[in-house]
Amino acid sequence: MPRAEREKRPPFLSWHRDREARANPAALSALAAAAALVAVWPYTSVIEPGSWSFAILMMVVLTALIGAGMRVLLSRRRAWVRDLATLLTQVVAGIAVLTQLTAADTAYLGLIPSSSTLTAFGSLSASAWEEVLYGSAPIEATPGIRLVMAVGFGVVAILLDHLVANRGAVLASVLTAVVGSVPIIVTLGDANVVWFIALGIVILLLFRATARRDPESPHRASMPVAAGVGVAAVVAALVVAPAVPVTASLAGSGVGVTVDASLRLGDDLRQPNPVEVLTLATEADTAPYLRLTTLSRFDGRVWQPDRTGSQEQSEGFGPAEWGEEVAATDVSTSIRVLRMSSAWLPVPYPATGVQGLAGSWRLVPENRTITSRNADAVGNDYTVASARVAPTLEQIRATSAAEPVVGPDEEPVELPSIIAETAAEVTADADSDYDRLVALQNWFRSEFSYSLDTPVEEGFDGTGAQAVARFLEVRSGYCVHFAGAFALMAESLDMQVRIVVGYLPGTRTEERRGDERVFSVTSDQLHSWPEVLFPGIGWVPFEPTASLGVPTSFASASTTGGGTSAPSTPAPTSTPGATQSTGPEIDRGEEDQATNPTGTLRRLDPTPVLFVTLGALLVVALPGLARGVLRAGRRSRARRGDAAAAWAEVRATMIDLQIAVSDADSPRMRGAELVAENGVDAASMRTLTDAVERASYARTADPEDLEPALSQVLGRLHRSVDRPARLRALLLPRSLFVSKSADAPVLS
């Protein structure tokens, strides 16, 4: 623009740029790559180190290099041609690199996918899904995980590259934050303060890069102001937010616990405010243990979940593991999951049938559990048919436990000698496998103490072989340590064993559902226990955890007339002085009594529903509220005679209402069109246009209250469009999101 024309520009329009500032493609692609890497960061805590991180780095760097190079080469082409060519090149190159990294031996020239490559991709993706669904963090860095992560972040990198290049700072920031937050949300891990700071810095850079290229941005930005805003935001997030009080009812509502296929139960058990996670109703006097899943493979460090095939509900759980000579009683249990998120449903063992579930839930006959790949346990209400298997003492003593099953490719795990030596010493006087297991159970319950804190203080809060050895020395821990130690000691005695993750029997309430008694299960009753396989009887549970649950014991046929009590229900114990306990005994002061003094079934707290609803409404209303604040400010300045503010509000209202806008028109020409086409009051419009011209060209001008004329014009503009247009302008005002250069005429 010539200097003479610039000098003639109205003072209130001279602050912004004349056109969109040219950007450095390399800088923008580098910023997009940085955002992608920030999104990757949290995944390093939930996936073991491996080649997946290199694959992601290659995809991100390749995307950035191609993005910058293509935009430089095609800088003189139309924008849509440049963007489309860049996208296609990035996709093709990404596929080639992905093929080279994961299935090069099946591809043409190691880069071009073949049908065999696609088959390999399918099998790797399926194995990755199984790893994510049944594994526990940190999950193993398998080739399938490498493929899925490379594909996922390749897509994320491409999206970020194009969003940043096209000034989509808001969407780019949301994408980075959402993708990076997934591991923290899914694993309920602690907030990574350093990551949040890095995320904040990247978001500020994204907005700065977008703002500097906007035609309406200032010629010179105030770095002190920008830095001050950034520092204030970080301080508010890290200092002020944690200090805001949160009520116990709010913190303890919603999903009370998320359970995965692992033995990492300590953090859930140490929660200061346990919440009710489910209720169950049964005609029995006592509630059963409820299982979620089982773990039977030990690699020396962690117990791996069982990954056996599942089948449709119509196919049932399969044949019974117990013989006809073993007594079994049918039991029905109705379960209602309130605040537990999991891919498994809690069921009594051994389950024989289920009713009331959607078809997405599948049955696992091997361990008689129920799982789903895409459904969540919370909110389900179903009825499980199960059997109470009750062999006599003579029957189980006459049956030897099954020997451990070792796969042909499995390498033996070296265990500390204290495990086998202690097992042999404790069971030296026993004559049968069952008696050996009862001896182990009684030894743990009488010689050890229950503690959630000791494993953390002593540094063995895990289930690895070394942690078990340390637990046997310290003799204090919680359920995962008792179950893990019992399982390894039983294996050292040549018995097939597995560990169950589930819940202790619930607490009986005063509520009844017909003839059924209702029991309440809380988040601190999350539990694990071992099981040993006896052929012809099935998997028999044992309860080694000191002071918790019901120790397993069977009665002799001669004293019960052939009847007995099953090990999964309260039974006479062979441990003197042991009494049934439904949860860990943790001193919580007077808070629990104040929360639920009667012990009756706790009702769902409506507070979280109310807050979620209000939060959703607030999010929906945010654009309208922001627009209202801007409108109020401009009208206030118009009341003091600010012609620029008045005219800016007229223009913004036209954009919101989707009335044609063209910056080629002078204020007088635009005003005449509004009078002719939208029925705006001519006198009011003349007042505004005269004020704009005086402010633009007169040396001095007396301030005049423009608010009445502005109100007349705005009111008429709203009445000139239909109700849907007014509603869209209220809820999603376009003037907040479009720039001056984007205000092309929009005809409604």
Side-chain angles (χ1 to χ4, degrees):
M1 178 179 292
R3 180 176 179 180
E5 291 189 30
R6 287 200 303 269
E7 291 177 351
K8 292 181 180 180
R9 292 174 60 88
F12 56 87
L13 293 179
S14 61
W15 64 276
H16 60 71
R17 303 176 187 273
D18 298 326
R19 61 185 64 86
E20 178 178 330
R22 297 186 63 181
N24 185 337
L28 295 180
S29 293
L31 181 57
L37 294 178
V38 167
V40 173
W41 184 352
Y43 290 83
T44 58
S45 64
V46 297
I47 304 176
E48 292 181 348
S51 58
W52 65 272
S53 55
F54 174 76
I56 291 178
L57 181 63
M58 287 290 295
M59 296 295 288
V60 171
V61 171
L62 179 69
T63 299
L65 291 176
I66 292 176
M70 291 295 293
R71 292 186 182 97
V72 171
L73 291 175
L74 303 178
S75 59
R76 297 183 180 276
R77 300 289 182 178
R78 292 179 181 271
W80 70 269
V81 174
R82 181 171 60 248
D83 291 341
L84 181 59
T86 301
L87 175 62
L88 293 177
T89 306
Q90 288 172 329
V91 171
V92 171
I95 293 175
V97 170
L98 191 65
T99 302
Q100 172 63 31
L101 292 175
T102 57
D105 54 339
T106 66
Y108 303 112
L109 303 178
L111 297 173
I112 305 173
S114 64
S115 59
S116 300
T117 306
L118 299 180
T119 302
F121 283 173
S123 60
L124 288 174
S125 300
S127 66
W129 176 252
E130 294 290 332
E131 184 71 27
V132 172
L133 183 62
Y134 296 110
S136 58
I139 61 178
E140 186 179 354
T142 62
I145 292 295
R146 178 181 59 191
L147 171 66
V148 171
M149 294 297 292
V151 171
F153 277 97
V155 173
V156 170
I158 292 175
L159 289 175
L160 287 173
D161 186 71
H162 286 265
L163 287 172
V164 174
N166 291 279
R167 299 210 316 263
V170 174
L171 292 178
S173 301
V174 171
L175 179 62
T176 305
V178 170
V179 173
S181 300
V182 168
I184 301 174
I185 296 172
V186 171
T187 61
L188 296 180
D190 295 332
N192 188 332
V193 176
V194 179
W195 178 76
F196 275 104
I197 293 176
L199 176 64
I201 293 174
V202 167
I203 290 176
L204 288 176
L205 292 175
L206 288 172
F207 277 94
R208 177 174 173 78
T210 297
R212 293 184 65 181
R213 298 159 54 207
D214 195 297
E216 291 190 340
S217 64
H219 290 290
R220 291 181 298 275
S222 175
M223 286 302 296
V225 173
V229 172
V231 171
V234 172
V235 170
L238 301 181
V239 179
V240 178
V244 176
V246 180
T247 64
S249 61
L250 181 60
S253 57
V255 174
V257 61
T258 298
V259 183
D260 59 12
S262 73
L263 291 179
R264 299 187 176 188
L265 312 183
D267 292 338
D268 293 312
L269 293 174
R270 282 186 282 265
Q271 289 293 329
N273 299 304
V275 296
E276 185 179 51
V277 293
L278 61 93
T279 63
L280 60 94
T282 179
E283 293 184 358
D285 294 331
T286 55
Y289 280 65
L290 298 177
R291 70 180 48 219
L292 292 165
T293 187
T294 59
L295 307 92
S296 60
R297 296 182 296 113
F298 183 68
D299 61 6
R301 187 175 59 87
V302 295
W303 286 87
Q304 299 291 341
D306 294 326
R307 300 177 183 176
T308 55
S310 61
Q311 58 193 32
E312 298 288 341
Q313 297 176 34
S314 59
E315 300 180 48
F317 284 99
E321 294 95 354
W322 55 95
E324 295 181 357
E325 69 280 1
V326 178
T329 305
D330 293 333
V331 180
S332 178
T333 307
S334 298
I335 300 173
R336 184 174 297 168
V337 183
L338 304 176
R339 292 187 177 100
M340 186 202 72
S341 176
S342 178
W344 291 267
L345 289 174
V347 294
Y349 181 82
T352 57
V354 63
Q355 293 180 340
L357 291 177
S360 57
W361 291 98
R362 298 174 62 85
L363 310 183
V364 184
E366 181 68 24
N367 55 11
R368 295 184 178 268
T369 58
I370 304 176
T371 185
S372 175
R373 292 188 174 186
N374 50 28
D376 196 291
V378 66
N380 278 278
D381 193 341
Y382 52 99
T383 300
V384 181
S386 61
R388 181 170 294 172
V389 181
T392 65
L393 181 60
E394 289 79 8
Q395 287 175 325
I396 196 167
R397 277 179 170 170
T399 305
S400 297
E403 295 183 357
V405 177
V406 180
D409 299 329
E410 292 186 25
E411 297 182 0
V413 177
E414 294 186 6
L415 301 177
S417 59
I418 188 177
I419 296 176
E421 293 173 358
T422 305
E425 179 183 348
V426 172
T427 62
D429 298 332
D431 296 326
S432 67
D433 284 347
Y434 170 73
D435 290 329
R436 293 184 184 93
L437 294 169
V438 170
L440 283 177
Q441 174 183 263
N442 295 344
W443 179 70
F444 277 114
R445 294 183 68 89
S446 60
E447 301 294 331
F448 286 64
S449 62
Y450 185 94
S451 173
L452 291 171
D453 300 323
T454 300
V456 178
E457 296 170 354
E458 297 292 335
F460 64 90
D461 194 12
T463 57
Q466 297 301 325
V468 169
R470 181 60 177 157
F471 168 68
L472 293 177
E473 296 174 354
V474 177
R475 299 195 176 190
S476 181
Y478 54 95
C479 60
V480 297
H481 305 99
F482 285 94
F486 185 103
L488 293 182
M489 293 173 77
E491 276 196 341
S492 73
L493 299 174
D494 292 327
M495 302 183 194
Q496 186 175 347
V497 66
R498 68 186 182 191
I499 296 178
V500 184
V501 175
Y503 283 95
L504 287 162
T507 303
R508 182 173 172 177
T509 70
E510 298 299 324
E511 184 179 352
R512 298 181 71 94
R513 298 177 191 166
D515 295 332
E516 295 181 328
R517 299 172 178 85
V518 176
F519 295 81
S520 173
V521 179
T522 54
S523 57
D524 60 348
Q525 291 175 312
L526 189 62
H527 192 50
S528 63
W529 62 92
E531 290 182 333
V532 178
L533 179 60
F534 285 82
I537 296 176
W539 288 92
V540 177
F542 290 85
E543 184 53 277
T545 303
S547 77
L548 288 188
V550 185
T552 296
S553 64
F554 294 95
S556 172
S558 61
T559 60
T560 62
T564 184
S565 56
S568 60
T569 60
T573 173
S574 56
T575 305
T579 58
Q580 180 188 0
S581 172
T582 58
E585 299 174 0
I586 305 174
D587 183 12
R588 306 185 192 281
E590 301 178 356
E591 183 174 0
D592 285 352
Q593 297 179 1
T595 304
N596 189 20
T598 64
T600 58
L601 181 64
R602 287 168 285 195
R603 303 293 183 182
L604 280 176
D605 185 1
T607 304
V609 178
L610 177 62
F611 274 92
V612 170
T613 303
L614 292 177
L617 292 176
L618 179 60
V619 170
V620 172
L622 274 178
L625 293 175
R627 180 68 176 89
V629 172
L630 290 175
R631 183 185 301 111
R634 289 168 180 160
R635 296 183 74 154
S636 176
R637 295 197 299 274
R639 191 174 295 110
R640 298 191 300 269
D642 190 338
W647 195 251
E649 180 57 30
V650 171
R651 179 178 179 276
T653 301
M654 294 174 64
I655 295 174
D656 294 340
L657 297 174
Q658 296 188 354
I659 298 174
V661 177
S662 174
D663 288 332
D665 294 338
S666 66
R668 185 173 294 276
M669 291 176 59
R670 186 179 302 173
E673 292 176 357
L674 293 178
V675 170
E677 298 178 6
N678 298 88
V680 173
D681 180 66
S684 299
M685 180 54 70
R686 188 179 304 109
T687 300
L688 295 181
T689 55
D690 289 348
V692 170
E693 292 175 350
R694 285 196 301 271
S696 302
Y697 305 110
R699 294 185 177 181
T700 59
D702 296 330
E704 177 185 358
D705 185 1
L706 302 176
E707 205 279 333
L710 178 61
S711 297
Q712 289 282 347
V713 172
L714 298 182
R716 187 56 201 171
L717 288 177
H718 280 87
R719 290 192 294 272
S720 68
V721 298
D722 56 16
R723 182 174 299 175
R726 293 197 296 270
L727 184 60
R728 288 193 298 269
L730 176 64
L731 297 179
L732 195 63
R734 296 181 66 250
S735 60
L736 293 178
F737 308 103
V738 299
S739 65
K740 185 178 180 67
S741 61
D743 294 340
V746 179
L747 301 178
S748 55

